């Protein structure tokens, strides 16, 4: 049996259409999933939509639609967008699915039976946008919700509470004993400070009275209430791999990687592990947290209209260019800035000039000097030995970086190979060697050079495949290696120098990355 690997995006809340933030999360998840598939692991990638809660029922009402119709519509947009962008998810889950409702009720009953859920009267400051009662920390100086800049409503309610505070010390200890459990490390620190704050961890309200909210999953032990959205939403990660019935559940679950944005650190870093613990389930392996995209130096928001549609970016620049920019520009965990100018600059430098030129030079020279047939390389000299050494080392580095959730660094490592190959070509100057047709030594050296650059392209393509799947396939096809990705195993096949068969027919093609034009300056308004 191959090793199972399980990776998740958060389920996206259906109150907005897909924007740069959702797209980044999905691009990272897709890239990591593709890497693990190429590493021969039995990979399962889960994504989907979160569809319960008052915000959704209010948004549906405002549009004059039934809540279900509204949720169906937005969930459909997410799904079709991800399909258009060719994200390789294995399951698209919706929290309104019967299977999910059953799982949530199962977990609720387990936690209730364990004595970790209690009915209490509560009075407090409720923010409709946040869908929860706020604490003082959530309010600004004017007493408004910090996130929504609106004053909360005073509400009194009898509700069910999950006794999360019981798990404060256990969770803090787990985080301290397991570096990398939440990564990068700054976010583990942030969760620890939530746990260690003066008030400590509060208990979590997990219900809404049905008289106020119909749109939710009924509590199995009190059908006058529906489940609070986070408790419901987080459990999707269990439903996604058919908890508890699937015989593979345990093994998959023990290898889970959650990918989230930092705005949902608390639910994933605090609520989720304590819910799992209370339900008697092992907690997740890693929580991987990425930063925010600022667009044109401002936070992405609906009201600013700077959400950046992935389909518009695909139309304008090609999706792999946008995908490359997202992967390369953001250091995983930190914030980054997006602008179309920055995208054009980076794509032109890295993809058009660097990678694209390399591919076109290699295959054109092979066409011109050797009729497109991969020649016999002969014995390696120092220069080829240097390339071979690099090819031994870099795939291992990439493997480590991908497993440490540092895709931006892994991508930079792949480009070390691109740079080394460009440098090698300049050192060898095959166009000069090609003129010395009556010098046998020059001809041998030319063959060696042409073989080596094409072999480097093969290695680069294999390693690039998780990041830029379409580009990698195109390069491999031109090298006469169509279908190579289906058989390849990383990192070893990238490390094995000489994988390109002598005598392989290659073919030239259109430029992989035509130079992008700078976007026209928009009218000042
Ligand atoms: Zn709020």
């Amino acid at each position: 049996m191959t090793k199972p690997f399980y990776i998740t995006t958060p389920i996206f809340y259906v109150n907005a259409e897909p924007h740069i933030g959702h797209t980044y999360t999905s691009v990272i998840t897709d890239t990591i999933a593709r890497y693990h598939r190429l590493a021969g692991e039995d990979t399962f990638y889960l994504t989907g939509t979160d569809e319960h809660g008052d915000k959704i029922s209010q948004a549906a009402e405002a549009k004059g639609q039934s809540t279900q119709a509204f949720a169906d519509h937005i969930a459909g947009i997410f799904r079709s967008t991800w399909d258009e962008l060719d994200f390789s998810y294995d399951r698209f889950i919706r929290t309104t699915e019967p299977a999910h409702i059953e799982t949530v009720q199962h977990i609720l009953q387990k936690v209730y039976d364990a004595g970790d859920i209690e009915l209490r009267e509560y009075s407090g400051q409720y923010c409709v946008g946040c869908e929860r009662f706020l604490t003082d920390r959530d309010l600004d100086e004017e007493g408004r919700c910090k996130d929504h800049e609106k004053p909360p409503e005073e509400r009194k309610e009898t509700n069910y509470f999950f006794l999360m505070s019981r798990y404060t010390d256990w969770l803090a200890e787990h985080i301290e004993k397991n570096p990398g459990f939440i990564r990068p490390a700054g976010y583990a620190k942030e969760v620890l400070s939530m746990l260690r704050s003066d008030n400590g961890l509060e208990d979590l309200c997990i219900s809404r009275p049905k008289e106020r909210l119909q749109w939710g999953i009924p509590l199995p032990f009190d059908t006058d209430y529906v489940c609070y959205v986070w408790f419901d939403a987080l459990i999707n990660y269990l439903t996604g791999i058919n908890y508890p019935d699937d015989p593979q559940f345990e093994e998959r679950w023990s290898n889970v990687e959650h990918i989230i944005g930092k705005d949902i650190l608390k639910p994933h870093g605090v609520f989720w592990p304590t819910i799992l613990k209370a339900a008697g389930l092992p907690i997740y392996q890693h929580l991987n947290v990425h930063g925010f995209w600022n667009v044109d130096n401002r936070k992405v928001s609906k009201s600013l209209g700077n959400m950046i549609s992935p389909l518009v970016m695909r139309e304008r620049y090609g999706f792999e260019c946008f995908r490359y920019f997202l992967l390369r520009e953001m250091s995983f965990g930190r914030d980054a800035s997006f602008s179309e100018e920055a995208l054009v600059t980076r794509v032109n430098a890295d993809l058009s000039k660097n990678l694209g030129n390399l591919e076109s030079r290699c295959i054109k020279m092979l066409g011109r000097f050797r009729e497109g047939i991969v020649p016999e390389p002969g014995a390696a000299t120092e220069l080829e030995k240097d390339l071979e050494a690099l090819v031994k080392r870099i795939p291992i580095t990439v493997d480590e970086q991908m497993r440490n959730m540092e895709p931006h660094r892994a991508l930079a490592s792949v480009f070390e190979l691109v740079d080394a190959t460009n440098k090698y070509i300049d050192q060898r100057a095959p166009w000069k060697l090609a003129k010395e047709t009556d010098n046998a030594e020059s001809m041998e050296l030319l063959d060696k050079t042409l073989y080596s650059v094409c072999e480097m392209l093969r290695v680069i393509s294999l390693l690039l495949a998780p990041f830029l799947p379409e580009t990698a396939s195109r390069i491999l096809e031109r090298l006469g290696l169509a279908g190579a990705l289906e058989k390849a195993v990383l990192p070893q096949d990238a490390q094995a120098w000489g994988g390109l068969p002598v005598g392989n027919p290659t073919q030239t093609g259109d430029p992989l990355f035509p130079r992008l034009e700078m976007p026209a300056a928009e009218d000042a308004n």
Side-chain angles (χ1 to χ4, degrees):
M1 274 299 281
T2 54
K3 187 178 179 271
F5 178 77
Y6 179 31
I7 192 161
T8 68
T9 70
I11 42 174
F12 301 111
Y13 205 45
V14 292
N15 61 343
E17 294 184 11
H19 60 60
I20 187 170
H22 309 119
T23 309
Y24 177 72
T25 311
S26 296
V27 162
I28 288 286
T29 307
D30 183 62
T31 302
I32 301 286
R34 285 176 189 270
Y35 185 81
H36 283 264
R37 278 191 206 106
L38 278 164
E41 291 164 39
D42 177 15
T43 300
F44 194 87
Y45 160 8
L46 179 74
T47 193
T49 40
D50 182 6
E51 305 179 9
H52 289 126
D54 0 18
K55 263 198 282 190
I56 306 298
S57 63
Q58 285 161 5
E61 215 170 290
K63 289 218 164 188
Q65 290 177 349
S66 77
T67 316
Q68 188 64 57
F70 176 79
D72 287 350
H73 173 66
I74 307 277
I77 293 176
F78 269 92
R79 189 172 186 148
S80 67
T81 304
W82 293 169
D83 288 343
E84 287 227 22
L85 301 178
D86 204 22
F87 291 148
S88 61
Y89 65 84
D90 295 287
R91 179 166 177 180
F92 189 98
I93 192 169
R94 301 183 53 187
T95 53
T96 47
E97 281 175 33
H100 181 65
I101 293 166
E102 204 178 294
T103 311
V104 170
Q105 290 184 328
H106 177 92
I107 296 287
L108 278 165
Q109 190 66 50
K110 261 188 123 168
V111 177
Y112 185 73
D113 291 344
D116 278 337
I117 292 177
E118 208 174 81
L119 189 64
R120 283 185 195 162
E121 183 168 273
Y122 183 89
S123 157
Q125 304 285 314
Y126 185 85
C127 173
V128 176
C130 295
E131 296 189 344
R132 62 185 174 92
F133 288 97
L134 303 181
T135 64
D136 292 343
R137 274 177 289 174
D138 300 315
L139 303 174
D140 66 14
E141 285 135 27
E142 292 156 55
R144 304 178 312 172
C145 166
K146 277 182 191 163
D147 286 343
H148 294 92
E149 299 180 357
K150 276 186 191 154
E153 301 165 15
E154 175 80 29
R155 277 192 192 175
K156 198 179 231 178
E157 234 168 50
T158 302
N159 264 313
Y160 284 91
F161 281 75
F162 166 49
L163 306 185
M164 195 162 70
S165 58
R166 291 181 170 178
Y167 296 100
T168 307
D169 292 337
W170 163 79
L171 182 57
E173 204 172 296
H174 184 85
I175 294 171
E176 278 161 355
K177 279 191 182 154
N178 295 279
F181 169 62
I182 298 174
R183 57 190 183 182
Y187 295 109
K189 258 196 193 157
E190 217 173 287
V191 171
L192 276 177
S193 80
M194 293 173 198
L195 298 173
R196 299 283 194 222
S197 71
D198 297 341
N199 306 330
L201 207 51
E202 284 157 11
D203 291 329
L204 184 68
C205 182
I206 59 157
S207 71
R208 295 290 176 266
K210 237 184 190 169
E211 63 209 28
R212 182 156 70 74
L213 179 69
Q214 304 281 322
W215 187 242
I217 298 176
L219 300 186
F221 43 81
D222 188 343
T223 49
D224 288 341
Y225 289 86
V226 295
C227 184
Y228 162 79
V229 283
W230 272 115
F231 201 98
D232 155 7
L234 290 162
I235 291 170
N236 93 85
Y237 300 130
L238 300 177
T239 314
I241 51 170
N242 302 323
Y243 169 83
D245 300 326
D246 197 310
Q248 276 190 306
F249 170 79
E250 252 172 72
E251 234 199 324
R252 268 205 198 290
W253 181 246
S254 63
N255 288 289
V256 64
E257 297 282 343
H258 292 313
I259 309 270
I260 61 161
K262 67 179 183 182
D263 53 325
I264 48 177
L265 177 62
K266 189 172 185 184
H268 283 81
V270 178
F271 306 172
W272 186 220
T274 55
I275 292 170
L276 287 165
K277 177 76 177 165
L281 283 161
I283 53 175
Y284 52 78
Q285 179 173 240
H286 293 125
L287 179 64
N288 305 283
V289 189
H290 69 72
F292 283 150
W293 283 95
N294 296 308
V295 172
D296 300 324
N297 296 319
R298 298 157 96 177
K299 200 180 158 186
V300 173
S301 85
K302 218 174 178 174
S303 54
L304 286 172
N306 61 347
M307 318 240 305
I308 305 292
S309 153
L311 294 179
V312 170
M313 289 298 110
R314 181 181 70 159
E315 180 70 31
R316 214 169 276 173
Y317 302 109
F319 187 62
E320 295 225 331
C321 292
F322 183 54
R323 182 175 168 120
Y324 175 80
F325 182 82
L326 296 181
L327 285 164
R328 187 69 187 82
E329 189 75 10
M330 181 175 267
S331 294
F332 189 87
R334 294 175 182 258
D335 291 353
S337 294
F338 176 85
S339 71
E340 292 186 44
E341 289 78 8
L343 181 150
V344 168
T345 303
R346 193 180 259 294
V347 165
N348 281 344
D350 295 3
L351 297 184
S352 188
K353 196 160 165 246
N354 205 358
L355 176 66
N357 267 352
L358 172 66
E359 180 274 338
S360 128
R361 283 213 281 179
C362 291
I363 298 194
K364 271 192 193 142
M365 283 192 296
L366 192 60
R368 189 152 10 114
F369 305 139
R370 290 295 180 261
E371 290 168 335
I373 304 298
V374 175
E376 183 73 54
T381 73
E382 284 308 310
L383 287 186
E384 289 79 29
K385 281 181 188 158
D386 288 348
L387 290 182
E388 281 182 47
L390 207 56
V391 160
K392 272 266 171 311
R393 179 170 65 80
I394 296 277
I396 296 294
T397 308
V398 169
D399 190 71
E400 287 165 1
Q401 289 163 333
M402 292 303 266
R403 290 174 197 280
N404 290 335
M405 210 53 76
E406 299 169 316
H408 57 290
R409 294 185 62 202
L411 195 48
S413 299
V414 178
F415 272 76
E416 278 183 48
L417 295 174
V418 176
D419 293 340
T421 313
N422 273 322
K423 193 175 149 209
Y424 171 77
I425 297 180
D426 292 341
Q427 282 170 317
R428 271 289 152 78
W431 49 91
K432 283 187 196 156
L433 295 171
K435 287 181 187 152
E436 302 162 18
T437 44
D438 46 3
N439 182 338
E441 212 175 294
S442 297
M443 288 300 100
E444 225 176 85
L445 215 47
L446 177 62
D447 284 347
K448 211 184 294 304
T449 306
L450 293 173
Y451 182 87
S452 302
V453 294
C454 289
E455 172 62 358
M456 288 301 282
L457 269 185
R458 179 191 70 89
V459 172
I460 290 164
S461 305
L462 291 184
L463 293 176
L464 208 54
F467 302 91
L468 303 177
E470 202 188 305
T471 303
S473 297
R474 287 176 75 189
I475 300 176
L476 287 166
E477 256 170 53
R478 291 176 187 190
L479 289 170
L481 294 171
L485 282 174
E486 279 102 83
K487 285 170 275 166
V489 182
L490 292 181
Q492 48 268 44
D493 285 349
Q495 285 183 288
W497 181 267
L500 179 64
V502 170
N504 235 32
T506 64
Q507 53 186 351
T508 54
D510 295 337
L512 293 173
F513 298 101
R515 257 189 95 75
L516 298 176
E517 295 294 327
M518 272 294 166
E522 275 175 51
D523 298 335
N525 46 25

